[in-house]
Amino acid sequence: MAEPSLAVRRKSRPGSVRKRSRAPLQPGPVCPPVARKRPSSGGEGPPAETPCSNDSEEDMFGDYDSFYGSDSLLAQVDDIEHKYLQDKNTDIKAAGEIIHGNLQSGIHQKKQDNFSTSENMVVLKADKEDAFQMNESDPVDSNQELTESILDDLPSSQLLYFEKMDELSSGSRISPDSEARNKCVNSSSDKIRSPSSFCPDAEHGNRPTDFSAGSKCDLFKTESLKDHLKSAMTGNAKAQTVQVSKTKQLKEAVLSEEICVARKTIESSSVDIGPFYGLPSKVKDLFRQFRGIETLYEWQNDCLMLESLQQRKNLIYSLPTSGGKTLVAEIIILQELLCRQKDVLMILPYVAIVQEKVKGLSSFGIELGFLVEEYAGSKGRFPPIKRRIKKSLYIATIEKGHALVNSLIETERIDDLGLVVVDELHMLGEGSRGATLEITLAKILYTSKNTQIIGMSATLNNVGDLQKFLQAEYYTNNFRPVELKEYIKIRDTIYAVDSKTENGFTFSRLLNFKYSSNLKKADPDHIIALVTEVIPKYSCLIFCPTKKNCENVASMVCKYLKKEFRAHREKEKQDLIKNLKNIGNGSVCPVLKQTIPFGIAYHHSGLTNDERKSIEEAYSTGVLCLLACTATLAAGVNLPARRVILRAPYVANDFLKKNQYKQMIGRAGRAGIDSAGESILIVQEKDKHLVQDLVNSPLDNCYSNLLLELNKGMQSLLLSLVGLKIAVTHEEVDNFMCNTLLGVQQQRLSKEKSLLEIIKDGLENLIEKGLLKGRISEKDHNSKCTLMITPLGKATYKGSIDLAYCNLLYQELKKGLEGLILESNLHLLYLATPYDMTSNCSPDWMIYLRQFKQLSAAEQKVADIMGVPESFITKKASGQAIRKNVDSAVVNRLYLSFVLYTLLKETNIWSVSEKFNMSRGYVQNLLNAAASFASCVLHFCEELEEFWVYKALLTELTKQLTYCVKTELIPLMEVAGVLEARAKQLYNAGYKTLAHLANADPETLVKMIEHLSRRQAKQIVSSAKMLLSEKAEALQEEVEELLKVPADIPGTC
């Protein structure tokens, strides 16, 4: 016996309130002239063909459609039809209106009779308050009101019938009344027949059934309204259901409706912003499902409700670390993608954070129908594909974000970018990366008046300058979900930081830990005493000044811990060591092998990507309870702790800055786990006064770096301004520069020269280098002379090449055309080795000679071409004096290219690091930098016709450097969050393609893949689905572009 049908009823509303458009359910089979069958929640069988004639069908309903005999709806319809259609002079339009009115009366009468239909009928029940009342004095208006009221609640079969009646009547005449009814009928029909979309005015597809005028007339003559309704009911009752869950359809309908309402609301700037800050309630469910977030903090609600946000003004907001800033940004991003249908750019400081965010938001993209695209390292397409349907969230590093904005300006698509979100906005004041970020934001502000900018940071001081630069409102709050208690330790005494006291400290307690004489020598700073107060029950971070200090502290702590610590989650710790051994192809760091059994590890840039990821996951799940780390962790992925210990107030040899201090201690306290967080700064007596100034001083000011970083700052900006035609005269450049952060702060930063003089000098320098063409007037700074970019200049800014190296790169590429050695990829690798890594490279000359001897004759010729002969390396290795002058930068660069060459052959960072006596972290960083620089050189060559030969070669080389694995693993490693070790596991388990991963069951993955949590499995599947969807969309866009009919075909009007 079939399951009872699911009835969907609309809630009653007062007549004056407009009803929300309910998003349609998935259409089923079509039977002319009646409606499509609506799927039920019943069987899963394929849809059956709906018969087009009732002559051979068994009359399932006889003369009645309910258990109430002559009181049935069909009986009433039959009587009404006979009564009003007997008069041959009756207008078809009038007949339709009369039937509408009586049908509505019939529907309301059924409310009291517990009206029921067959399984697949969906009854839309109206309240008595919606009952139609005819206004005799104004028949036209009342007829329109009647039509809208009735058609909004009619079943699909009746809607289609009335549509056909209207089509017939429109053939003879069209009145204003009939036009209104046609519009209403079509609108109501489309609700049922068209697929769900985000926008109520979205373009509907062509209707699947087309009737000629003759067939319509015959159909109308031979079949009555009663027959049509019976036909619809019969078809719906007998047709099999499509394989779609009714629950899923209803959820999609609700989601689509809420997005429509949210978009309308945002466009109208209404106070009522919908169920979840202008977003569908499904978004709230997804935050609960993926993040475990039930409710927002009060400050988050206040921030999202700011009038400035509703008016789409730029906004800067600042809160302490762990305050929940990112969630606010993500909600604003979703509003832009779903409601305003605009693309979004999110700029993050580091590659690892970009990858984490791509992985985390892919799940939302899959569920809500937008794309998440990664722009980090060598990844990213310039310009991005222009999507016709889905919108894109670009998640980028600072450098890639700048290149992306340049490409959008060049293709005149910058207005497609509705929102730019910048995390860690204080990085505007940090070196060359700060200069690049300033350039990016200044270009957006100057070229697009419709792009909103949101900046967030935990450490901002001179907010006024930033507000003026970004033309932004400011919101701040001191909220922290977990209270933070700051302490200072001097000798064996703990002091609480208290700004109200004279010296900033108040006595808190003495350390109560019995130290042996040996332990006092090994641990004079009482680190073990501080650590054992919290671990293994709670987590702890120790920030150390150097990488070596991290390893020493981790070793020292575990050496003096009790054996009981080994028993805590012992099996999981052994699994972690086993996993690290697999990552290193049988090798594991001796320090980690010693410390992990105690739940301790170190974390710094000396780890490979795979090692770092495994340690972070183990710490997040509580397998590891203590990490000895460098300051980079504070600005990287979020790894909070119950207690944070600062080993010393130094980062390397530099005294700690207030911003760095705040970021480190901000990791203390885990929301939802800890009631409070603690930070303890270990201070020597000699640094006491410096530390007093540190903890009581304000945050560091944020200043422009355009002047300090001339090549990557001012001159890079001037070059791209002319290249993108943002400003092509001296006067226009001056106007632009006044709107930068440097322009805001010029009185403080450029005391020796005026900003106009600095601009003039920069333009002249670019002309001298052959990157610009034009003339700068000596007398008139506001010269109208137009500047032009040269091909080399265009290649430089489009390839994001440092201006200090662009001419050198051009010369080396030009020289390579004369005799590029392609027996191996060594020559290409030399060209792709980053210039800026040569300064901190110190070759081991014996290793250099050994590696040189292992090269073939053709490969050794590469060294000769570069000006590094074998005799020079031999003399260096033997310690002999060198008379011939050889460029040390070239020598070092060739040595690094040997490292990369060996790495691509062996694809094992561990073995290569041992072979060249380098830390594996340095080798990992070299590989990442080379992949990124190879991508830059590729874009450089694409702009210069003479370097066409390099395009295909560098495309493949960039791919090899990006993944540095066997070819079969590359498709898996394209997925965000999947590194080499995980890719090997997946490949060996049978998941060999992107499609395998995208269609995998997370539960099955957890069972088949070792050390894979359920959360990680779900993220991998979501990321794979997102990547597959992105590639499919790109192909679809390409197909549509190819099939697009050109508008300028000769001979056409």
Side-chain angles (χ1 to χ4, degrees), residues 299 303 306 315-320 457-458 460 463 473-479:
W299 84 263
C303 187
L306 287 174
L315 177 69
I316 299 169
Y317 64 99
S318 177
L319 280 99
S457 174
L460 287 178
V463 178
E473 302 288 318
Y474 179 58
Y475 176 87
T476 187
N477 196 303
N478 290 323
F479 171 82

Side-chain angles (χ1 to χ4, degrees), residues 499-545:
S499 58
K500 296 176 183 177
T501 60
E502 186 177 345
N503 64 358
F505 305 147
T506 57
F507 174 81
S508 176
R509 64 187 173 95
L510 289 172
L511 279 177
N512 184 20
F513 189 85
K514 294 180 180 179
Y515 268 73
S516 65
S517 57
N518 289 336
L519 186 52
K520 280 182 181 178
K521 292 178 183 177
D523 182 25
D525 293 326
H526 308 95
I527 292 174
I528 293 173
L530 296 173
V531 162
T532 51
E533 288 179 348
V534 289
I535 67 167
K537 186 177 180 182
Y538 301 106
S539 56
C540 182
L541 294 174
I542 303 177
F543 284 103
C544 303

Side-chain angles (χ1 to χ4, degrees), residues 246-270:
K246 173 71 74 175
T247 303
K248 182 179 179 183
Q249 286 182 329
L250 292 176
K251 284 182 179 178
E252 289 175 353
V254 172
L255 171 63
S256 182
E257 178 188 354
E258 289 179 347
I259 287 177
C260 289
V261 173
R263 190 180 312 151
K264 280 184 177 179
T265 304
I266 285 177
E267 287 171 356
S268 63
S269 299
S270 171

Side-chain angles (χ1 to χ4, degrees), residues 856-876:
S856 66
E859 290 170 338
Q860 288 181 0
K861 192 177 177 183
V862 174
D864 287 332
I865 293 172
M866 297 307 146
V868 186
E870 182 181 0
S871 59
F872 171 81
I873 301 172
T874 304
K875 287 179 180 179
K876 274 287 189 182

Side-chain angles (χ1 to χ4, degrees), residues 650-670:
Y650 291 91
V651 173
N653 295 321
D654 300 323
F655 194 79
L656 203 60
K657 293 178 181 177
K658 184 58 178 271
N659 287 0
Q660 293 171 324
Y661 172 72
K662 281 291 185 183
Q663 280 193 320
M664 291 179 188
I665 68 172
R667 295 298 179 197
R670 298 165 299 170

